[in-house]
Amino acid sequence: MLPYINVPFDYVAKATGASTDEIKLISSFLMSYPLAAVLKRLPDSKPEQKNLFIIGVSLFYIVGLFDLWSGLVTLSIGAMGAYTIAASVSGPYMPWLGFIFLMGHMSLSHIYRQIANSPNNVDITGAQMVMVMKLTGFCWNVYDGQQPESSLVDFQKSRAIRKLPSYLDYAGYVLFFPSLFAGPAFDYADYQRWIETTMFEVPPGTDPAQAPKVRKKRKIPRSGTPAAWKAAQGLGWIFLFMNFGSWYNTSLVLSDEYMTYGFLRRVWILQMLGFSTRLKYYGVWMLTEGACILSGLGYKGVDPKTGKVNWNRLQNVNPIGIETAQNSRAYLENWNMNTNNWLRNYVYLRVTPKGKKPGFRASLATFGTSAFWHGFYPGYYLSFTMGAFIQTAAKNFRRFVRPFFLKADGQTPTGYKIYYDIATYFATQTIFSFTTAPFVLLTLPDSLKVWTRVYFYAIILVGGSMAFFASPGKVHLVQELKKRQAGISNVHSVESMDLHPVLGMPDDPAKEIDEAVTEIREEVEARRRRGSKVTMPNGQELRALVENKLGKKLK
């Protein structure tokens, strides 16, 4: 750490009530703006200068600002290990070996942070979580680069690495300072196109009047205005967090004072606890995205219709989408969007054999990866498990209740649709405030204490709805829907949509169990065809196999 560097941060920390490390972290996000402006102005023809500048700034942040020498070693081990695996191991197991190494190494940091129990102090775990997303994807991209192009889908073709990058390019990618501590994560192909400036090439035939505006001889379009707008939004969210966080926090819901309020007031406070916590993430993610935009990496081409430049390549959160969400999927898809992309592209779709649709195995692997990536606090697992059942309940309502508020074609709303929307909005928001509380409280005793204080209302509502849809009531709804839709062709149905788990949460646990049974049967039949001495399991044997797959007992 540089001498006396803490003095101004200590002063601000005392004035605001935040910790010194929290002030330094926000300051590093803000310092990234002028530094990103310098980075953008380095010669496009000299990418090595950009790489060296990126590495130098990140080293200043890690060592000069936070004194994280051990953290630097941690990042170095992960980065060198992933590169070595990608360079020296060939075959289909290479990306999985990289995945196990990176996730295992990060798990040690999670365990250490959990034991240290100092949430106000910045350690290297956040930066390592970002790095794990980047480098597990990197290993898959290298593997894709070794495959015939005809065997790849379009996404894999666009990300495939045919030649390993130089050490300098790789280090610049790993240590990209605008997203070092809090993301957003991105693939190496994006970094390569950015540093080579091929990202900014205008497609042939583009009207010069619609080409993005640049300054001097730079290829990176002007990005100051969209970056400043993101910075302003980020600071606005941080300001709101500082105010709401002082009113609604974990100390309040765990205190005796909380129980002096009535039930509805307690639910409201729990809702505001979730909101104030989200404010922090909104602010941080928008500040880091803005610095990425200023550097040029947020560029996503030009809208051919409007001629407007899109800067949302690295968007990680949509606050309006979350705060107005009327169902669980809309809520989750607008949160931590780059993690969603990583889980879908490098876990969910990768564990699925070619030619097959993702099933139970893919969902289970995605759920496990998402949970382990976040860490080992029990609160995470309470939230994830509860979230999976919310997904099922929400899907049931969308399938079997929502159509009654639409006309027979399944798309045109009736005059009563507004009441369904209002009801689902309040249900989504209040149930998620209950569900995400353990994510904030972290420990099992605190999580259960707060859930008890609001009488487990979300569990009762979700459990009650699942019980109803497992009863003859569902049959009655289906019959009524068939009557409404009789003689209508091309009825829109949510069941026809191919959906992947959001943030690793299984979209339909009941369906996943059915798929587990099917996979077990298919596996047994395949072994029988190969001549193995296997027989189809009886009921008890099949139950035992399913329980083994799920890792828990069936009731």
Side-chain angles (χ1 to χ4, degrees), residues 283-303:
V284 166
W285 284 337
M286 286 198 169
L287 285 176
T288 56
E289 184 192 353
C292 290
I293 289 173
L294 190 57
S295 73
L297 193 57
Y299 179 79
K300 201 180 180 181
V302 180
D303 188 316

Side-chain angles (χ1 to χ4, degrees), residues 127 134 204 216 251 258 275 396-397 418 466 476 505 535:
K134 292 166 76 171
K216 299 181 180 179
S251 298
Y258 185 58
F275 176 67
N396 283 332
F397 273 92
I418 183 65
M466 292 183 70
H476 176 71
M505 295 182 187
T535 59

Side-chain angles (χ1 to χ4, degrees), residues 119-416:
N120 292 330
N121 293 335
V122 171
D123 66 2
I124 208 63
T125 309
Q128 193 176 9
M129 292 171 73
V130 176
M131 185 183 73
V132 164
M133 286 194 286
K134 292 166 76 171
L135 297 189
T136 50
F138 176 82
C139 290
W140 275 111
N141 299 150
V142 171
Y143 171 75
D144 290 339
Q146 299 167 352
Q147 309 307 307
E149 192 161 313
S150 59
S151 67
L152 305 176
V153 299
D154 289 343
F155 174 84
Q156 294 167 349
K157 292 176 185 176
S158 69
R159 298 293 190 268
I161 299 174
R162 301 292 177 183
K163 180 183 176 182
L164 280 174
S166 67
Y167 294 143
L168 188 60
D169 284 348
Y170 181 73
Y173 168 62
V174 172
L175 295 173
F176 188 69
F177 68 83
S179 65
L180 178 66
F181 287 112
F186 49 90
D187 288 325
Y188 179 77
D190 290 329
Y191 184 78
Q192 184 179 34
R193 292 168 191 151
W194 170 78
I195 204 160
E196 294 175 354
T197 67
T198 56
M199 177 185 288
F200 311 105
E201 293 176 354
V202 179
T206 302
D207 184 351
Q210 290 190 336
K213 302 296 186 291
V214 297
R215 289 186 183 277
K216 299 181 180 179
K217 295 182 180 181
R218 289 197 300 270
K219 293 184 180 179
I220 301 176
R222 297 179 183 178
S223 56
T225 300
W229 175 235
K230 282 290 180 183
Q233 290 180 76
L235 289 173
W237 291 120
I238 292 293
F239 175 77
L240 289 175
F241 165 70
M242 292 175 66
N243 285 277
F244 279 88
S246 64
W247 302 329
Y248 303 101
N249 47 55
T250 56
S251 298
L252 174 59
V253 295
L254 292 170
S255 68
D256 294 335
E257 178 189 353
Y258 185 58
M259 291 305 295
T260 63
Y261 301 119
F263 171 71
L264 292 179
R265 178 75 180 274
R266 295 201 297 272
V267 171
W268 167 254
I269 291 172
L270 198 62
Q271 172 70 26
M272 295 308 295
L273 171 65
F275 176 67
S276 64
T277 303
R278 291 194 297 275
L279 290 172
K280 175 176 63 176
Y281 289 97
Y282 294 162
V284 166
W285 284 337
M286 286 198 169
L287 285 176
T288 56
E289 184 192 353
C292 290
I293 289 173
L294 190 57
S295 73
L297 193 57
Y299 179 79
K300 201 180 180 181
V302 180
D303 188 316
K305 294 182 179 179
T306 64
K308 184 179 179 181
V309 177
N310 293 320
W311 290 100
N312 62 345
R313 178 183 294 274
L314 300 179
Q315 182 180 3
N316 205 33
V317 68
N318 176 11
I320 302 301
I322 293 169
E323 301 305 331
T324 60
Q326 298 173 18
N327 59 72
S328 60
R329 192 164 196 88
Y331 192 102
L332 295 171
E333 281 185 333
N334 286 295
W335 175 262
N336 212 350
M337 297 154 75
N338 287 292
T339 301
N340 267 322
N341 293 335
W342 170 65
L343 289 169
R344 179 181 65 249
N345 295 319
Y346 297 115
V347 182
Y348 183 67
L349 296 176
R350 296 292 182 164
V351 299
T352 305
K354 288 184 179 180
K356 291 190 176 183
K357 291 184 67 174
F360 168 75
R361 191 175 304 174
S363 296
L364 186 63
T366 309
F367 179 87
T369 299
S370 182
F372 272 74
W373 180 78
H374 280 90
F376 301 108
Y377 280 104
Y380 296 155
Y381 295 84
L382 283 177
S383 292
F384 273 105
T385 303
M386 183 66 189
F389 289 100
I390 292 173
Q391 290 272 72
T392 300
K395 180 180 284 188
N396 283 332
F397 273 92
R398 189 169 179 83
R399 283 177 179 170
F400 306 117
V401 177
R402 184 174 180 269
F404 288 100
F405 296 88
L406 304 173
K407 293 184 179 179
D409 62 2
Q411 291 181 297
T412 309
T414 67
Y416 298 101

